[in-house]
Amino acid sequence: MATLSTDAPISPLRQRMQHDMLIRGLGSHTQQDYVRHVRRFAEFLGRSLDTATAEDIRRFQLHQHESGVGPATVNGAVSALRFLFLVTLKRRDLARALVIMRYQRKLPEVLSVEEAARLLEAAPGIKYKAALGVTYGAGLRVSKLRTSRSTTSTRHAC
């Protein structure tokens, strides 16, 4: 998709940003996300984006945080607005005002020795015990075990 299509007329600033994204080879999904994030900032701002200030950006990011927006969405907005300010508007000072949000790292849930032993004992045969043991020992997800199992059964069926 070369350009984004909407029913509403496109502002010259949005058109310029879309051309900038196209020139730089951004994918269609990235373009859609960037336009969506910039539109949200414009709605928050309530005036033309080229009049934005560092304080406006600060208020917008505070608003996102208070609204419970997750880190992925906040960081997506930061990327979109950085593109807008650096590339389209040539406003490096505003791009510097954007702050990424750190992800809260979650520790993986680890089975106790007893739980792991019960898991292996519950396997119906030696092949499944080996697959479960290797999968758990290597820290792989269940989906990897399921994928490798379906691939091997398909391979043997041919």
Side-chain angles (χ1 to χ4, degrees):
M1 180 196 297
T3 59
L4 301 173
S5 60
T6 61
D7 296 335
I10 297 176
S11 72
L13 181 60
R14 180 171 168 180
Q15 184 68 47
R16 181 180 170 102
M17 182 176 170
Q18 286 178 326
H19 287 159
D20 289 339
M21 290 188 291
L22 188 63
I23 290 168
R24 282 159 181 78
L26 272 62
S28 61
H29 290 287
T30 303
Q31 290 182 32
Q32 290 171 350
D33 286 345
Y34 278 19
V35 168
R36 180 174 38 87
H37 287 300
V38 169
R39 186 182 317 118
R40 285 195 182 135
F41 179 62
E43 289 168 1
F44 173 83
L45 194 58
R47 61 181 195 273
S48 178
L49 291 171
D50 56 0
T51 65
T53 65
E55 182 59 27
D56 293 327
I57 292 170
R58 185 184 163 288
R59 286 186 313 107
F60 177 66
Q61 289 200 286
L62 188 59
H63 167 75
Q64 286 183 309
H65 181 72
E66 289 171 348
S67 300
V69 174
T73 303
V74 169
N75 293 341
V78 167
S79 295
L81 294 173
R82 277 189 181 153
F83 185 90
L84 172 73
F85 293 131
L86 284 174
V87 177
T88 304
L89 292 175
K90 310 276 191 261
R91 295 280 314 270
R92 185 172 296 280
D93 58 315
L94 294 181
R96 280 193 215 111
L98 292 159
V99 179
I100 62 166
M101 188 175 197
R102 302 272 182 229
Y103 286 87
Q104 187 69 22
R105 298 185 85 167
K106 295 179 184 174
L107 293 175
E109 192 173 315
V110 179
L111 298 178
S112 69
V113 174
E114 295 80 22
E115 291 170 325
R118 280 198 323 250
L119 175 69
L120 292 175
E121 288 170 16
I126 189 78
K127 179 171 86 173
Y128 297 103
K129 286 182 185 191
L132 281 172
V134 169
T135 301
Y136 183 74
L140 299 175
R141 295 182 297 275
V142 174
S143 62
K144 289 295 181 190
L145 175 64
R146 204 173 62 223
T147 303
S148 64
R149 183 171 165 235
S150 65
T151 341
T152 55
S153 61
T154 307
R155 210 178 304 138
H156 293 300
C158 293

